[in-house]
Amino acid sequence: MKRRLLLAAATGSALMLGGCASQNIDQYRTEKPELDLKQYFNGTLDAYGVFTDRSGAVVKRFTVVMNCSWQGNEGVLDEDFTYSDGTTQKRVWRLTKLPDGKYTGTAGDVIGTAQGQARGNAFYWTYTLSLPVDGNVYEVRFDDWMYLMTDKVMLNKATMSKFGVKLGEVTLSFTKR
């Protein structure tokens, strides 16, 4: 019984602390340069990233080549990942631009539909990803923030969590060719 109470208290504390630290996309409304996803994610991009665990230790490094295109308000982000251990992965995002800077997205390993919104130089979206780890597949939530730095460079920081508990972070730098 005590163990259940401690687990419930720990989970509740993590959820409350996570709620206190959340950003609001509207705080970036006036930041420049203004991010237009259709313009930035169009053509070929290179990305360089790391996955860090809860302690901040780098668990895996990776590169991504993205081939992106749009037809009207429908976009395709075709991503080819190469990891530091030599493994590769492909993810194809299908994005839809909606009114008021909102976007939805789907991909083969995304459960349901990603929901996002752009304001100023920032883009925030959240989604659940099927993440393979050591022969198992876990459903993890991604809270993904992107910040346009210049017309060619964007930084991305995503927090991964399960049941409100932070598992780690993904940090990426995108460079438009």
Side-chain angles (χ1 to χ4, degrees):
M1 182 66 168
K2 283 185 181 180
R3 185 176 175 171
R4 284 190 203 144
L5 287 173
L6 287 173
L7 181 60
T11 303
S13 296
L15 291 173
M16 287 177 23
L17 289 173
C20 294
S22 65
Q23 301 179 65
N24 182 329
I25 190 67
D26 286 326
Q27 75 190 63
Y28 299 100
R29 182 179 303 276
T30 61
E31 294 295 319
K32 303 288 183 213
E34 189 165 335
L35 175 58
D36 177 345
L37 259 63
K38 285 177 61 175
Q39 181 179 357
Y40 188 79
F41 287 115
N42 195 18
T44 304
L45 290 90
D46 298 295
Y48 306 89
V50 293
F51 168 72
T52 55
D53 64 16
R54 286 184 286 220
S55 72
V58 174
V59 175
K60 199 175 264 194
R61 295 171 290 114
F62 58 93
T63 61
V64 188
V65 175
M66 299 175 65
N67 292 297
C68 310
S69 62
W70 289 81
Q71 296 269 15
N73 288 330
E74 304 294 320
V76 175
L77 283 58
D78 187 337
E79 304 175 321
D80 290 305
F81 292 79
T82 303
Y83 294 95
S84 54
D85 63 5
T87 59
T88 60
Q89 180 183 17
K90 184 175 204 59
R91 177 175 299 119
V92 178
W93 282 100
R94 300 197 182 282
L95 304 182
T96 302
K97 182 179 182 183
L98 304 170
D100 195 29
K102 294 183 180 176
Y103 291 81
T104 59
T106 59
D109 54 355
V110 171
I111 297 168
T113 303
Q115 304 289 324
Q117 188 166 24
R119 285 280 189 268
N121 76 326
F123 178 64
Y124 168 72
W125 68 343
T126 185
Y127 51 93
T128 301
L129 185 73
S130 292
L131 184 66
V133 178
D134 298 330
N136 295 308
V137 177
Y138 300 96
E139 293 182 8
V140 296
R141 176 187 165 106
F142 272 72
D143 288 301
D144 207 335
W145 285 91
M146 298 179 188
Y147 307 95
L148 187 63
M149 306 303 288
T150 71
D151 64 333
K152 300 274 187 208
V153 176
M154 184 159 40
L155 300 179
N156 182 195
K157 187 170 190 175
T159 302
M160 296 174 27
S161 62
K162 185 157 179 77
F163 304 123
V165 177
K166 181 179 171 181
L167 302 174
E169 292 182 340
V170 176
T171 306
L172 283 158
S173 171
F174 294 97
T175 305
K176 188 172 174 141
R177 289 187 189 172

